[in-house]
């Protein structure tokens, strides 16, 4: 089935809006006209909302799940094009992400993950393309360069942040840690400029922007250090946990398990294509209104919508001033993620950085398509930002510019682009950007505001998780938290008898 989300371009068919995915749900609703008030309404069917809806329905609560899109998964979903999964958003998972891995084991999907990298065949090099020239190096040299640059950037206390952020789930535990949120990545780069080689600086800046999707000025140094701490304070951990393991059949093959299990409880009602516009809490009951004026009532609401679009919903009574400030500030991530299928069949082991002059800065070989072509995944962000669908020839040029002319010849031509697949997260009315990444000050001032419950409305989302904030794992962490709060409030004394 085809979702209206996403784009697919090929030379023969041109640009098509909407791509096939197993995440699209039909029928789009199982709600009947004479529903009684629910125990809980969950708004948003990303991993957070799916986890909350599943847990609450398994606990015996009557649940309504409302979703603005025609599919599950929110910012993590995969398209299946000719049987091949392209990850449109969230992709990589790791056993160090304990909430995610627990769910992978629950659904017995541990044999369904595979590596993105494959350094075994074809072109086995890393191309670094900066205004100073092109350097082609082995992957061992690439790792050495990146590790050296990242170690210099993160070594704020002689032990790579271990003393400053000793417990990343309690990120502001030390005073020194809170101070890091007052400065940007750019400030930190300026501090260590004299000890960075030009190549280190280039790969470091590209790596920072790959993490934040913002600019160096809008990237909180603290949040970068929080990621680093979650990855075990090492470059190898960074690589392993952030960008190595993905699902063979795509993220939607994972998300659908949560939805199916909730449905099997027979206590889940759902409605897709149902954007919520208004949430009114009279203290005893909450009324949720959709944009097309349908109204639903429940004792509790779990809002699982992301930070950057929460201000499109009105809340009555109004949200606290702290929450409203966070909604105004927003996160800064405007990542552009573009999959390219390339005619060259030998690029499976290729990686490249073209920075800072290109619209796409970072790319890796990510798979081999059914046609035997190489699939690479490319990333850009706020800097030189593009809307890839607006000018396909520019997007193609940005992909091709990742391959420096001097590595190719008539007998060994530069790769031609056979297909582009992407989701424009910046223009997405239900996301307003990619994964959460904070500007300086947002977390130290407003993390608790973002997490706070408002009357009978529980706010949950990966964007304000404590651990793997901005990851799938953080979404599951938050879905668990929200379902637990609701369960405790509604089941009261019975709460002590867990049934999950
Ligand atoms: P969301 O997925 O955003 O879910 C919120 C849901 O609310 C959405 O379905 C949305 O449609 C719905 N909604 C919003 N407004 C309304 C409304 N008014 N009415 C009804 N419904 C509404 N994470 C990783 O772990 N690994 C990765 O490799 C990774 N890579 C990423 C790459 C990209 C390009 C992106 C965009 C994200 C990536 N992430 C990754 C992050 C991860 O995808 C997210 O952190 C996670 O999916 C967020 O889940 P969530 O449920 O908290 O929020």
């Amino acid at each position: 089935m085809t979702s209206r989300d996403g784009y697919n371009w090929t030379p023969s068919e041109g640009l098509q809006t909407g791509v096939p995915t197993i995440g699209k749900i039909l029928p789009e609703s199982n709600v009947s006209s004479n529903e009684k008030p629910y125990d809980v309404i969950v708004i948003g069917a990303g991993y957070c909302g799916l986890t909350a809806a599943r847990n609450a329905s398994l606990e015996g609560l009557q649940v309504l799940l409302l979703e603005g899109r025609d599919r599950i998964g929110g910012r993590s979903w995969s398209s299946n094009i000719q049987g091949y999964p392209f990850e449109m958003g969230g992709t990589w998972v790791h056993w160090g992400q304990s909430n995610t891995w627990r769910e992978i084991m629950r659904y017995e999907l541990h044999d369904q993950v595979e590596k993105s990298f494959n350094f075994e065949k074809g072109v086995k090099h890393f191309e670094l393309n900066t205004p100073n020239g092109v350097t082609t190096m082995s992957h061992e040299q690439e790792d050495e360069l990146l590790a050296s640059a990242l170690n210099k950037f993160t070594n704020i206390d002689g032990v790579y942040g271990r003393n400053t952020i000793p417990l990343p789930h309690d990120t502001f535990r030390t005073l020194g840690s809170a101070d890091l949120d007052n400065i940007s990545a750019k400030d930190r780069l300026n501090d260590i400029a004299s000890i960075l080689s030009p190549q280190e600086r280039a790969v470091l800046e590209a790596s920072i922007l790959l993490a934040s999707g913002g600019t160096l000025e809008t990237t909180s140094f603290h949040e970068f250090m929080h990621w680093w701490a979650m990855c075990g304070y090492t470059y190898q951990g960074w690589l392993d946990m952030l960008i190595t393991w993905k699902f063979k059949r795509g993220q939607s093959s994972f998300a659908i398990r949560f939805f199916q299990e909730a449905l099997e409880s027979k206590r889940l009602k759902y409605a897709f294509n149902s954007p919520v516009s208004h949430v009114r809490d009279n203290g005893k009951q909450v009324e949720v209104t959709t944009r097309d004026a349908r109204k639903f009532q429940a004792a509790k609401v779990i809002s699982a919508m992301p930070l950057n679009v929460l201000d499109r919903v009105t809340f009555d009574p109004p949200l606290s001033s702290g929450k409203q400030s966070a909604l105004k500030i927003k996160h800064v991530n405007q990542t552009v993620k573009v999959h390219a299928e390339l005619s060259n069949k030998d690029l499976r082991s290729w990686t490249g950085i073209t920075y800072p002059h290109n619209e796409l800065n970072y790319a890796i070989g990510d798979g081999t398509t059914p046609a035997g072509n190489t699939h690479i995944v490319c990333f850009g962000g706020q800097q030189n930002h593009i809307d890839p669908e607006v000018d396909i020839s520019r997007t193609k040029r940005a992909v091709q510019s990742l391959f420096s002319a001097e590595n190719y010849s008539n007998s060994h031509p530069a790769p031609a682009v056979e297909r582009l697949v992407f989701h424009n997260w910046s223009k997405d009315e239900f996301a307003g950007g990619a994964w959460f990444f904070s500007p300086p000050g947002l977390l130290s001032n407003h993390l608790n505001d973002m997490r706070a419950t408002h009357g009978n409305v529980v706010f949950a989302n990966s964007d304000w998780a404590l651990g793997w904030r901005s990851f799938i794992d953080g979404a599951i962490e938050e879905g668990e938290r929200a379902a637990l709060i609701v369960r405790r409030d509604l089941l009261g004394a019975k709460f002590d008898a867990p049934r999950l």
Side-chain angles (χ1 to χ4, degrees):
M1 274 169 294
T2 299
S3 166
R4 64 173 173 270
D5 280 352
Y7 294 92
N8 177 24
W9 173 89
T10 61
S12 57
E13 290 171 342
L15 183 67
Q16 303 197 327
T17 306
V19 293
T21 175
I22 58 168
K24 173 158 174 171
I25 304 298
L26 282 180
E28 68 173 38
S29 172
N30 66 353
V31 177
S32 53
S33 53
N34 56 347
E35 299 277 342
K36 292 195 199 124
Y38 299 89
D39 292 320
V40 56
I41 295 174
V42 178
I43 309 172
Y47 276 111
C48 175
L50 287 173
T51 304
R54 181 199 64 188
N55 287 9
S57 60
L58 292 182
E59 275 302 322
L61 301 179
Q62 298 296 332
V63 179
L64 172 66
L65 178 62
L66 294 175
E67 168 57 53
R69 307 177 192 275
D70 58 4
R71 59 169 184 83
I72 55 168
R75 282 171 285 173
S76 299
W77 71 292
S78 48
S79 65
N80 284 73
I81 296 176
Q82 296 170 355
Y84 185 84
F86 289 96
E87 293 286 8
M88 312 301 285
T91 306
W92 291 289
V93 294
H94 192 271
W95 48 94
Q97 296 164 344
S98 55
N99 292 293
T100 301
W101 207 259
R102 184 193 62 237
E103 301 297 336
I104 288 175
M105 298 310 289
R106 177 187 186 111
Y107 296 121
E108 298 184 10
L109 294 173
H110 47 282
D111 57 352
Q112 291 300 308
V113 292
E114 64 180 8
K115 275 190 170 178
S116 270
F117 294 109
N118 177 347
F119 290 160
E120 279 160 21
K121 56 178 187 179
V123 172
K124 285 186 210 132
H125 67 226
F126 165 62
E127 284 178 46
L128 174 60
N129 186 339
T130 72
N132 293 332
V134 175
T135 313
T136 302
M137 56 184 95
S138 69
H139 290 306
E140 289 73 25
Q141 289 168 318
E142 172 190 9
D143 282 341
E144 253 172 57
L145 180 63
L146 275 156
S148 165
L150 278 164
N151 283 338
K152 288 179 184 174
F153 189 63
T154 55
N155 200 7
I156 47 179
D157 50 13
V159 284
Y160 307 99
R162 284 180 176 85
N163 284 346
T164 314
I165 306 187
L167 193 63
H169 287 70
D170 186 11
T171 189
F172 294 117
R173 176 174 281 227
T174 68
L175 278 178
S177 166
D179 287 345
L180 303 182
D181 200 39
N182 297 326
I183 66 170
S184 67
K186 179 81 174 183
D187 295 328
R188 172 66 184 163
L189 277 165
N190 289 342
D191 285 349
I192 59 164
S194 62
I195 57 167
L196 290 172
S197 72
Q199 285 195 339
E200 282 175 338
R201 176 123 193 181
V203 295
L204 180 55
E205 289 191 7
S207 299
I208 295 165
L209 296 183
L210 179 64
S212 82
T215 65
L216 296 170
E217 290 80 3
T218 60
T219 298
S220 157
F221 181 50
H222 174 278
E223 189 62 343
F224 190 90
M225 287 303 297
H226 175 244
W227 278 40
W228 178 253
M230 292 300 294
C231 292
Y233 314 88
T234 66
Y235 167 69
Q236 193 58 48
W238 184 262
L239 208 58
D240 290 345
M241 297 207 202
L242 299 188
I243 199 167
T244 299
W245 295 95
K246 60 176 185 171
F247 286 102
K248 289 179 189 169
R249 296 201 175 90
Q251 276 291 339
S252 296
S253 68
F254 184 38
I256 196 84
R257 303 297 183 104
F258 293 63
F259 184 69
Q260 281 165 346
E261 192 179 356
L263 263 187
E264 282 160 16
S265 75
K266 308 242 184 288
R267 284 185 283 272
L268 178 75
K269 296 287 174 158
Y270 66 83
F272 289 84
N273 293 317
S274 300
V276 166
S277 57
H278 194 65
V279 176
R280 193 169 64 87
D281 179 1
N282 68 13
K284 293 202 178 103
Q285 198 173 53
V286 193
E287 182 175 77
V288 174
T289 310
T290 56
R291 279 189 207 159
D292 57 6
R294 281 171 292 149
K295 291 185 188 304
F296 303 95
Q297 285 83 27
K300 295 278 173 187
V301 162
I302 295 174
S303 164
M305 297 174 279
L307 178 71
N308 280 13
V309 295
L310 255 184
D311 60 0
R312 297 178 190 191
V313 177
T314 54
F315 290 87
D316 178 12
L319 299 176
S320 70
S321 59
K323 222 187 255 298
Q324 288 192 32
S325 299
L327 265 56
K328 253 191 221 117
I329 295 168
K330 301 191 185 317
H331 76 71
V332 299
N333 190 337
Q334 298 300 329
T335 285
V336 179
K337 178 180 185 183
V338 176
H339 296 281
E341 181 173 350
L342 302 175
S343 58
N344 189 319
K345 301 194 184 328
D346 282 338
L347 291 170
R348 185 70 186 85
S349 302
W350 171 92
T351 56
I353 290 178
T354 299
Y355 179 84
H357 46 294
N358 202 27
E359 293 93 338
L360 297 170
N361 300 135
Y362 215 117
I364 61 168
D366 197 18
T368 303
T369 67
N373 295 325
T374 304
H375 154 216
I376 63 166
V377 57
C378 321
F379 291 91
Q382 183 65 53
Q383 173 167 296
N384 301 327
H385 191 267
I386 50 168
D387 294 311
E389 75 281 9
V390 168
D391 183 350
I392 286 292
S393 42
R394 185 174 177 198
T395 308
K396 272 171 59 189
R397 256 197 325 276
V399 171
Q400 280 163 328
S401 303
L402 292 159
F403 299 91
S404 38
E406 63 190 56
N407 279 330
Y408 301 93
S409 60
N410 284 345
S411 59
H412 183 50
V417 179
E418 303 287 345
R419 182 187 300 279
L420 296 169
V421 183
F422 51 88
H423 181 130
N424 187 333
W425 293 103
S426 295
K427 281 196 186 163
D428 186 315
E429 63 171 325
F430 299 118
W435 62 89
F436 173 92
F437 209 99
S438 58
L442 172 61
L443 287 167
S444 45
N445 290 314
H446 296 300
L447 178 59
N448 290 336
D449 293 326
M450 290 189 274
R451 295 172 61 78
T453 293
H454 182 65
N456 287 306
V457 185
V458 181
F459 285 85
N461 194 273
S462 178
D463 295 6
W464 46 86
L466 293 181
W468 288 98
R469 178 167 49 245
S470 78
F471 291 82
I472 292 160
D473 190 271
I476 299 170
E477 173 198 315
E478 278 285 292
E480 287 262 344
R481 178 176 77 95
L484 204 64
I485 293 173
V486 165
R487 177 177 142 208
R488 191 165 38 210
D489 286 358
L490 292 183
L491 299 183
K494 285 190 248 160
F495 172 71
D496 286 338
R499 274 177 283 149
L500 268 184

